[in-house]
Amino acid sequence: MTALARLSTGLPKLDALLGGGLVPGTMTVVLGATGIGKTQLGVHFLRQGLHQEGETGILFDMTTRGDTQNHADYARRMFDWTLTPASADGLLTPEAVWDREQVRRDIIHLFQRSGRRVTIRDLSTEELQIWKADLNRRLTTAISFFYGNFVHGVRRCVVDGIEPADRASESFQFDLFEYVYHQILRKEHDWVARDLFRAAFRENAERVATHAYPHDQLGCLMLCTTHEILLDDLIARPIESGDVLANANTILLMGKVRNGAKVTRALHVAKHRGSACSDGIVPFEIDDTGLKIGEPIS
């Protein structure tokens, strides 16, 4: 893949709306209510990596309430693809990243046992301390998951399970995402390796150099659940200064619209730096094979 090649979403009609696809080395945010189709879109994007880069993408599930998305069911129904989970307990040593059989996994659910809410005001001082301690213990596992997949050819990821919060600055999930995005995805490979190996970096330095990957070619799709259900409400939604949305290269909105006598699903490209893109509202349907995108609503 050349530096100028777009990352296909796996949906040709959506790629056309985006002027050829997503821009590598940038972040795309998808906003929409529960059940609107965000996760199916993410699975399309991940699977397309097999055809474009030779490796399916990876999924970082940030759900913290003890449940999870239907990633495995969607992958199986849409592509007959069985997702292989990574352990959230970080049982492997950092040096295990060189063994493809041990580290090449499709999905990790890092906080599957926490069951905590996502905003600061929901927690007492003691609960906040427990959360931060749990987070610090699991950051090395997160680095190992991403780095271990990237050194074996993965070039795209989806971050799912971002729950609604009145302000992004109050959300633990956005804090964790900011770390993952800036300290792993947007960081040069050897600096990520330093964070992973720490004192053992020198003895792994030769392998780090051999397994270099272009961090500026990684694609990231972030799926955020919103309170807003209607597409019109999402379009009117303000973006906070300093919000992760303000820093996104591309923002896709997915919501309900009235189309004649019925209410249907539709999407809209709210932001897309790097090329001309459609400003229309485009209906889509969902079946067992995923999203079916229609023609813009006139």
Side-chain angles (χ1 to χ4, degrees), residues 227-277:
H227 293 299
E228 295 90 346
I229 297 174
L230 299 179
L231 187 58
D232 283 347
D233 292 338
L234 283 170
I235 293 173
R237 172 181 173 149
I239 297 176
E240 298 178 35
S241 176
D243 191 338
V244 66
L245 303 184
N247 297 321
N249 187 84
T250 304
I251 298 177
L252 301 178
L253 308 178
M254 302 176 73
K256 296 290 186 70
V257 298
R258 184 176 294 280
N259 187 5
K262 62 180 181 178
V263 175
T264 61
R265 292 179 170 93
L267 60 82
H268 172 66
V269 182
K271 177 182 179 182
H272 186 53
R273 298 190 187 109
S275 71
C277 64

Side-chain angles (χ1 to χ4, degrees), residues 98 147 151 189-190 193 197 201 204-213:
W98 309 126
Y147 183 79
V151 299
H189 74 97
D190 53 336
F197 294 114
F201 175 76
N204 284 278
E206 185 175 344
R207 278 182 160 179
V208 169
T210 302
H211 290 80
Y213 59 84

Side-chain angles (χ1 to χ4, degrees), residues 1 4 7 11 34 62 87 90 118 121 134 141-142 183 186 204 209 232 235 261 273-274 285:
M1 186 176 66
L4 297 178
L7 294 175
L11 296 162
T34 300
M62 289 180 59
S87 170
V118 300
R121 66 172 179 268
D134 191 27
T141 302
Q183 300 301 319
R186 293 283 77 85
N204 284 278
D232 283 347
I235 293 173
R273 298 190 187 109
E285 297 178 350

